[in-house]
Amino acid sequence: MQEEVSKIGVWGMGGVGKTTIMKHIHNDLLKERIFYRVIWLTVSKEFDVVKLQDDIASALNLKKDLDKAGDKLKRAAFLSEMLKKAGKHILILDDVWDKISLEEVGIPEPTSGNGCKMVLTTRSEQVCKYIDCKVKIVKPLSEEEALILFLNKVGPNIVQSPTLMPTLRLVVKECAGLPLTIVVVAGTLKGENEPRIWKNALKELKERIGKVEGAEAEVIERLKFSFDHLKDDKVKHCFLYCAFYPEDFKIPKNELIECWIDEGFIDEMDTREEMKDKGHVIMKKLEDNCLLEKCSNHLRWTCVKMHDAVRDMALSITNVNSRCMIQAGKQSKKLLKKDEWMADVEKVSLMRNSISRILKDRSCPQHQLLKTLLLQDNPIEKIPNSFFANMPSLSVLNLSRTKIERLPNSISKLENLTTLLLDGCQALRYLPCLSKLQGLKKLNLCQTKIEEAPEGMDMLINLRYLDLYVVTLKEIPIGLLPKLSRLQHLRFDEDNENTSLKAEEVVPLEKLECFCGRFKDMHELNKFASSMQQCKSNLIKYRLQVGPSCWEHEKDKFVSINELEFCQGEFIMLPTDIQQLDISDCHGLEFLVSSSSFSYSCSHPFHSLELLHLRHLPELSELIKVERLILSATFSHLKRILIWRCMSMKTLFAHWLLPNLQNLEEIWVEDCDELVEILGTSTLVDDQDAEKGSDAFIKFNLPKLRNLELHALPELKSICSKSGAMVCDSLQVINVSSCDKLKRIPPFVSLIGNGQPYGHAPPSLKITSSTFWWESLEWDDQNFKNVLQPHWHPW
């Protein structure tokens, strides 16, 4: 962008590639760092000044400050001042449909004097002229460019087929040089090598385009070609459901698949995980056909979104062929009036609007066929008691993230309801009796303010999914959970001590696949883990906890044990497939597990463990107490171990564990007063070394170890045996501080050549230490010593 040009308008028809071009420019600007800030903002058809202000503030990390500013004018003044202080920046406004007043939003006029720039993309030349932009027209691709793009998408087997090329060129020509239609049509025909299919596709495209007038209508018809060629009707339903979300909305993949399951688009299977797998297969099909685009949201969740032209196509289908009303994200402040509802409507999406109250005169009259009602992300405060009285067929109701304090009593009569979503309703305190909702399969009460389990919940015998992640919940009635024998997903707030469970409440739930909860004490966790070992458990994901939480879970199979007093002889029994174990602030615990606590059918304790975090365990002396033969899988998947203030431990890894640590990437040990060595050796090996003299040599093979952090270990004398060397060519950092008795860094063994020992540090290795310790070190090779740089690294 030239210095004298401050505003550019990128203009072109839908599907021509405006957004794609700007994404590439956006990424290049981030790399080049010409501007202090590069801010991308999606405006969309349903433009709203407040939303755009919020998006700008979020990009500046000033959203909370903007919320305090007041009305639109004060918000605009605040933003204008902040953008002026933000330094040299560029604003990219994507998908602008109408004229925008920069002053009303709070965007200072970009000038050559302030060095700030603005670029917008639009289908309207008038928008560019109104904002006084220099217009850049994006034209369709040339025939040759279009052919290259089509061939890249359609697959190599088609490219190599000369018999198809004449027809293929004509198909490409029907795409009119628009990248969106080119990739969508190519995705539809990918892998098809039958000439008749190609000839039929050409004929179909010509007929479709011949029936409509106008460039935008032609684009929609080309995109419909791909939709109509989806062979499975349920896949079509899954695609059309995406249009229930607002334009340009980034839909989390997991949320979308859950919605498909709730709607019945995915057939019932033996497990919920199988149904999710089917959902991912459908998602992949839609992505491959370029009907959905991969993306991520501000939380870095994996998402998909619809191109606005693809969404227009989907809406044109729902308007004609299905009984749907979609008014999502339109900033509506009031619910539709009675005469505005379609009499035979089956699905309604009013999500993400500004509806705050549902008045009695707006209640829905006699909607006998309504099956889906989506009202989530509206500031609704109150719903009339009779609102749901005339919706006998209602199956899916989503009121998530609304401000309601109570559900109306008419909910109790919805006997066909299968899904009730109330997550994030942070003011909700009251639910009516649910005893008649025996068809309910999913109930989400996450982050509500209820204090008691809803009345009649024990009658929900078909419930598969129950989320009670509720900090205010005072108790779980004894005997409730075993009655819900079909549960596959169950979640509680692990920090809520009032919902601590006994094993006998959860063990009967044999279909459970995902479980997050807190047990009353170690005895109850042991009983539950024992049942998992003895019976074939269906659990795919779990978070099991005793005591308050101290760590964030990073893995799907996680156990956390905190602030307990262990009696002599008391032990820990854990699931055999555990991936992450965190224990902190426990007294009396001398070892994590004994080999005898694992069933004889599984003689590999911790064979799946990847992360091990141990903090403030004063009596812990060893990781595993060996009482019988341990096979080679123990710790075989361990990637990271963090040890802090384990005062009785003398050796971190016993000698018999060392061959198993092939996947270990990080060791961090700190404040362990009695620790003498990191990698232990057996007495037998030491005796043999003494007999053989200096010729004896032991290799400690840790091929994936990247970081070694050792801090405040006053008794530490060695990392490994004096006669040993470390094989760890991945090592990047050795960081040591306050380890006064550690006088020797072991040599490294090269994995190249014949593997003879010599002092060789991996090329990328960085070693830091406290200065006083570095000067007294003993080195096996002067070249290796030269890698060390004195550096104090405080904790």
Side-chain angles (χ1 to χ4, degrees), residues 496-516:
N496 185 355
E497 188 176 0
N498 294 325
T499 57
S500 297
L501 299 165
K502 288 187 174 182
E504 61 196 37
E505 295 286 307
V506 189
V507 169
L509 302 177
E510 297 178 354
K511 295 183 181 292
L512 208 56
E513 299 172 44
C514 178
F515 172 53
C516 302

Side-chain angles (χ1 to χ4, degrees), residues 265-329:
F265 299 154
I266 298 175
D267 292 332
E268 286 272 355
M269 300 180 187
D270 290 338
T271 68
R272 195 171 193 86
E273 193 66 18
E274 289 175 339
M275 297 172 74
K276 290 180 181 178
D277 290 344
K278 178 65 175 178
H280 283 288
V281 171
I282 293 172
M283 190 91 65
K284 180 70 163 53
K285 173 68 174 175
L286 296 175
E287 289 173 355
D288 288 347
N289 281 26
C290 297
L291 293 172
L292 293 179
E293 304 172 11
K294 295 179 184 178
C295 61
S296 59
N297 63 8
H298 64 289
L299 298 173
R300 298 185 180 179
W301 292 349
T302 306
C303 300
V304 290
K305 67 185 288 288
M306 278 182 151
H307 188 284
D308 51 5
V310 174
R311 185 172 185 269
D312 289 343
M313 177 268 286
L315 290 174
S316 72
I317 294 170
T318 60
N319 290 339
V320 175
N321 298 334
S322 62
R323 298 166 177 173
C324 299
M325 290 178 59
I326 302 173
Q327 296 194 23

Side-chain angles (χ1 to χ4, degrees), residues 421-684:
L421 305 178
L422 299 162
D423 55 296
C425 294
Q426 297 185 13
L428 182 63
R429 299 178 183 275
Y430 169 79
L431 277 77
C433 180
L434 304 180
S435 61
K436 291 185 179 181
L437 308 186
Q438 293 185 23
L440 200 64
K441 295 180 180 179
K442 185 174 185 177
L443 177 60
N444 193 334
L445 294 165
C446 171
Q447 294 184 340
T448 60
K449 286 293 189 294
I450 63 169
E451 296 184 359
E452 299 176 349
E455 182 185 350
M457 198 166 162
D458 57 330
M459 301 296 288
L460 305 181
I461 56 176
N462 286 300
L463 207 60
R464 269 76 159 174
Y465 186 111
L466 176 59
D467 195 323
L468 283 171
Y469 190 91
V470 181
V471 69
T472 53
L473 199 59
K474 292 183 177 180
E475 67 171 349
I476 299 296
I478 296 173
L480 169 63
L481 294 179
K483 293 179 181 178
L484 309 179
S485 60
R486 295 190 177 186
L487 276 178
Q488 297 169 324
H489 177 108
L490 177 62
R491 185 168 80 135
F492 294 98
D493 182 355
E494 304 98 303
D495 284 335
N496 185 355
E497 188 176 0
N498 294 325
T499 57
S500 297
L501 299 165
K502 288 187 174 182
E504 61 196 37
E505 295 286 307
V506 189
V507 169
L509 302 177
E510 297 178 354
K511 295 183 181 292
L512 208 56
E513 299 172 44
C514 178
F515 172 53
C516 302
R518 175 171 174 168
F519 287 97
K520 289 185 178 295
D521 51 41
M522 200 63 236
H523 178 62
E524 297 299 334
L525 174 59
N526 286 348
K527 285 201 295 185
F528 182 73
S530 177
S531 75
M532 289 178 66
Q533 290 185 29
Q534 293 170 10
C535 308
K536 186 178 179 182
S537 172
N538 287 320
L539 278 176
I540 296 167
K541 296 182 180 180
Y542 55 77
R543 288 209 311 268
L544 312 179
Q545 185 169 308
V546 181
S549 61
C550 294
W551 303 84
E552 289 293 326
H553 77 281
E554 300 176 44
K555 297 296 176 181
D556 288 341
K557 299 178 179 181
F558 167 64
V559 176
S560 177
I561 302 167
N562 307 295
E563 297 185 17
L564 296 184
E565 293 284 344
F566 282 81
C567 301
Q568 187 172 6
E570 189 174 5
F571 62 91
I572 298 175
M573 182 169 285
L574 297 165
T576 55
D577 59 353
I578 183 175
Q579 295 173 331
Q580 179 180 348
L581 174 61
D582 298 345
I583 307 179
S584 66
D585 298 290
C586 293
H587 292 264
L589 183 65
E590 298 178 2
F591 49 84
L592 300 186
V593 294
S594 67
S595 56
S596 61
S597 68
F598 282 77
S599 66
Y600 281 86
S601 61
C602 178
S603 54
H604 310 296
F606 299 131
H607 70 278
S608 298
L609 191 69
E610 297 182 31
L611 308 180
L612 178 58
H613 300 159
L614 306 174
R615 185 177 73 172
H616 195 204
L617 308 176
E619 288 78 35
L620 186 73
S621 59
E622 55 186 326
L623 298 179
I624 299 177
K625 184 176 182 180
V626 181
E627 297 174 342
R628 60 183 177 85
L629 178 64
I630 302 291
L631 299 182
S632 59
T634 302
F635 287 150
S636 59
H637 286 83
L638 188 65
K639 293 182 179 179
R640 183 172 76 214
I641 181 168
L642 275 67
I643 311 289
W644 183 68
R645 300 197 71 188
C646 295
M647 301 302 190
S648 301
M649 185 173 284
K650 296 183 182 296
T651 299
L652 181 58
F653 290 112
H655 66 90
W656 60 270
L657 282 172
L658 300 183
N660 305 353
L661 304 178
Q662 302 304 295
N663 288 300
L664 188 61
E665 298 176 2
E666 181 178 0
I667 300 173
W668 187 303
V669 189
E670 183 169 355
D671 268 343
C672 297
D673 289 354
E674 299 297 321
L675 195 72
V676 176
E677 59 183 350
I678 303 299
L679 308 178
T681 54
S682 67
T683 305
L684 177 62

Side-chain angles (χ1 to χ4, degrees), residues 221-276:
E221 286 303 316
R222 293 183 183 105
L223 297 175
K224 277 185 182 178
F225 167 83
S226 180
F227 172 81
D228 288 340
H229 279 258
L230 294 171
K231 297 173 183 177
D232 188 332
D233 284 344
K234 291 198 172 182
V235 175
K236 291 182 178 180
H237 290 315
C238 289
F239 166 72
L240 293 176
Y241 188 90
C242 300
F244 282 43
Y245 285 84
E247 183 181 347
D248 291 315
F249 189 79
K250 295 176 179 179
I251 314 170
K253 281 189 176 183
N254 291 336
E255 175 186 318
L256 184 56
I257 291 172
E258 282 288 337
C259 290
W260 291 345
I261 293 173
D262 298 340
E263 292 285 345
F265 299 154
I266 298 175
D267 292 332
E268 286 272 355
M269 300 180 187
D270 290 338
T271 68
R272 195 171 193 86
E273 193 66 18
E274 289 175 339
M275 297 172 74
K276 290 180 181 178

